């Protein structure tokens, strides 16, 4: 006797449940967390270095780096002034909520204001795995080409902000800004965008202001949460 | 490649639901994948043979239903499949577009063999409710 059992359960639901646990820990500690995703070489670590250097005087910053094999990026973030933790994914193309959870004991969450997670350089998979961070940002860069939203729509769909890095290269590389932006607008209407160069520093202040505002609103929520409970 | 994690997840969900129904064996799994989900069904099939061995789901058939991406223009109502060079509405060029399908990624159903005894109780239940 065979029987059909209707299920309709999201295949990554176990990961999503762990992501919710991670978020609860961040909220309890009052720390704002950011998932930074991009293709290899777009400038994730460069953006993190610039951000840490600019904000370390006013914020306590942690960095978690997901890398297939090395700790080069975590070392760069540590040199810039962050408490940095390395996760070697051993060939996995993305971080997931389990890996992030396993790394958390290495950071003193309650003594941090901001944790930046650098995901594995990959424009396909990371978007499907929630980590539990408060916000996620996609770093695009001019030399990657203007067709990336069209080729990797999944990555542009869910993010809270898009950073367009390496604008110093605009004079040297063909890049149809409007074509690129139209793709983003369809996939993620009204998403916050920053055009900047980690090399020259142009455009960085707007990005930093956005990030600082996110951190303080998380802290306020956490304080009012503690008062209410 | 994250297909191993995905395949393990599929197995976990199927086994959980099958044991809730006291199934003896899982014979078929029905997986729905939107065109914008990045999983490769051949790789899932490959890992499936490995990890289902020795479980209730050993030898079960995987069925993949691929759902194409469909967008719908909020301005003129035109419904279309993007062609990779254009995402905006090909009819009125609007950027105000809704994603109707293409992002699905779930286990829709499984088919299981139940104990003959269980099947009878099920039949009795259903004839009672008639
Ligand atoms: N011209 C220019 N180069 C940049 C800019 N930002 C980063 N780069 C360069 O781009 C290269 C890659 O930068 P990373 O910050 O290591 O990129 P990533 O995304 O962290 O790379 P992976 O972690 O390996 O995926 C380096 O050579 C940087 O110096 C920029 O704004 N302009
Ligand atoms: Mg890096
Ligand atoms: Zn239209």
């Amino acid at each position: 006797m065979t029987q059909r059992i209707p299920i309709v359960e999201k295949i990554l639901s176990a990961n999503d449940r762990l992501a919710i646990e991670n978020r609860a820990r961040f909220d309890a500690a009052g720390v704002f967390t950011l998932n930074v995703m991009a293709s290899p070489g777009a400038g994730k670590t460069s953006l993190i270095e610039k951000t840490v250097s600019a904000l370390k005087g006013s914020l306590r910053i942690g960095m978690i780096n997901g890398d297939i094999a090395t700790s080069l990026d975590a070392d760069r973030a540590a040199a810039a002034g962050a408490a940095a933790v390395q996760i070697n994914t051993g060939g996995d193309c993305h971080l997931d909520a389990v890996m992030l959870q396993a790394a958390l004991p290495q950071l003193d969450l309650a003594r941090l204001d901001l944790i930046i997670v650098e995901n594995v350089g990959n424009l396909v998979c990371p978007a499907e795995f929630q980590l539990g961070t408060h916000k996620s940002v996609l770093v695009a860069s001019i030399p990657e080409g203007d067709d990336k939203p069209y080729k990797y729509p999944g990555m542009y769909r869910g993010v809270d902000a898009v950073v367009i890095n390496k604008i110093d290269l605009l004079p040297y590389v063909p890049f149809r800004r409007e074509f690129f932006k139209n793709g983003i607008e369809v996939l993620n209407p009204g998403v916050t965008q920053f055009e900047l160069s980690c090399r020259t520093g142009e455009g960085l202040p707007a990005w930093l202001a956005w990030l600082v505002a996110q951190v303080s609103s998380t802290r306020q929520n956490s304080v009012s949460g503690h008062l209410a409970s | 490649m994250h297909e191993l994690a995905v395949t393990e997840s599929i197995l976990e969900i199927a086994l959980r639901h099958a044991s809730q129904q006291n199934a003896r064996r899982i014979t078929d799994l029905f997986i729905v994948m939107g065109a914008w989900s990045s999983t490769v069904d051949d790789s899932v099939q490959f890992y499936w043979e490995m990890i289902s061995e020795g479980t209730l789901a050993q030898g079960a058939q995987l069925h993949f239903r691929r759902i194409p991406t469909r967008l719908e223009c909020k301005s003129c109502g035109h419904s279309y499949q993007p062609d990779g060079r254009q995402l905006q509405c090909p009819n009125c060029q609007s950027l105000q577009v809704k994603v109707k399908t293409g992002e699905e990624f779930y286990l829709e159903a499984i088919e299981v063999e139940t104990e003959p005894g269980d099947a009878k109780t099920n039949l009795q239940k259903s004839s009672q409710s008639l």
Side-chain angles (χ1 to χ4, degrees):
Chain A
M1 173 77 196
T2 65
Q3 184 190 343
R4 187 181 169 97
I5 307 174
I7 291 181
V8 189
E9 183 166 327
K10 275 177 69 186
I11 286 169
L12 297 174
S13 56
N15 181 75
D16 294 350
R17 281 193 298 275
L18 275 179
I20 292 168
E21 281 180 33
N22 289 346
R23 171 70 73 86
R25 286 169 72 170
F26 301 141
D27 284 339
V31 58
F32 174 75
T33 49
L34 182 71
N35 177 14
V36 180
M37 299 179 284
S39 59
K44 298 177 290 298
T45 312
S46 303
L47 182 67
I48 294 168
E49 284 176 313
K50 290 283 177 193
T51 303
V52 171
S53 303
L55 301 180
K56 68 179 169 198
S58 51
L59 297 176
R60 299 163 299 177
I61 307 176
M63 187 268 200
I64 299 176
N65 174 249
D67 199 289
I68 289 177
T70 74
S71 68
L72 295 171
D73 290 357
D75 297 343
R76 283 167 64 188
V85 174
Q86 177 64 37
I87 304 175
N88 283 131
T89 63
D92 259 339
C93 48
H94 60 277
L95 287 177
D96 63 25
V98 184
M99 295 183 224
L100 190 69
Q101 196 161 77
L104 292 184
Q106 297 179 59
L107 288 174
D108 189 353
L109 301 187
R111 288 176 185 277
L112 292 172
D113 303 303
L114 164 66
I115 296 175
I116 308 179
V117 181
E118 176 174 347
N119 217 310
V120 180
N122 180 336
L123 219 41
V124 183
C125 317
E128 299 197 10
F129 292 83
Q130 304 286 328
L131 302 180
T133 51
H134 293 94
K135 293 276 153 83
S136 59
V137 53
L138 177 64
V139 181
S141 64
I142 300 299
E144 283 169 55
D146 50 28
D147 56 359
K148 292 301 167 287
Y150 300 82
K151 287 190 174 167
Y152 303 99
M155 288 292 289
Y156 283 83
R157 281 287 285 164
V159 295
D160 302 290
V162 176
V163 166
I164 304 160
N165 186 29
K166 311 195 188 182
I167 54 169
D168 56 294
L169 297 178
L170 275 170
Y172 313 106
V173 189
F175 190 89
R176 293 163 294 175
R177 222 194 198 109
E178 196 182 306
F179 178 65
F180 180 76
K181 296 223 159 205
N182 284 350
I184 297 181
E185 185 57 29
V186 168
L187 295 169
N188 197 335
V191 67
T192 307
Q193 297 181 35
F194 304 96
E195 298 187 14
L196 54 82
S197 164
C198 291
R199 179 135 182 255
T200 66
E202 186 186 350
L204 273 172
W207 155 255
L208 295 171
W210 177 82
L211 192 55
V212 167
Q214 303 296 321
V215 173
S216 24
S217 77
T218 300
R219 205 185 287 145
Q220 263 156 23
N221 287 340
S222 151
V223 168
S224 52
H226 287 312
L227 290 179
S229 59
Chain B
M1 298 300 277
H2 60 253
E3 275 72 11
L4 177 57
V6 162
T7 314
E8 286 169 340
S9 205
I10 292 171
L11 180 65
E12 184 273 322
I13 297 170
L15 290 177
R16 179 156 38 81
H17 286 270
S19 68
Q20 278 165 13
Q21 306 288 324
N22 297 315
R24 272 193 314 176
R25 201 165 86 81
I26 302 173
T27 58
D28 297 87
L29 291 86
F30 297 88
I31 297 154
V32 180
M33 276 183 185
W36 277 359
S37 99
S38 67
T39 300
V40 181
D41 42 8
D42 281 351
S43 308
V44 173
Q45 184 70 53
F46 170 79
Y47 286 121
W48 179 251
E49 321 280 329
M50 279 170 35
I51 67 164
S52 63
E53 210 181 298
T55 72
L56 286 188
Q58 179 169 347
Q61 189 82 34
L62 299 181
H63 305 267
F64 296 96
R65 186 154 68 88
R66 276 269 168 200
I67 302 198
T69 306
R70 275 241 145 244
L71 306 182
E72 188 184 281
C73 177
K74 289 186 193 171
S75 307
C76 75
H78 181 60
S79 166
Y80 61 101
Q81 223 172 299
D83 68 358
R85 275 169 320 199
Q86 176 156 339
L87 283 164
Q88 68 199 86
C89 175
N91 188 42
C92 75
Q93 309 307 317
S94 169
L95 298 174
Q96 315 281 304
V97 167
K98 211 177 343 182
V99 180
K100 299 294 277 186
T101 64
E103 299 188 293
E104 303 75 5
F105 192 38
Y106 59 90
L107 184 59
E108 188 174 33
I110 56 177
E111 275 177 17
V112 299
E113 279 175 6
T114 48
E115 296 287 350
D118 290 354
K120 210 191 275 167
T121 20
N122 283 344
L123 282 179
Q124 278 166 357
K125 268 189 213 144
S126 53
S127 54
Q128 272 166 12
S129 64
L130 277 177

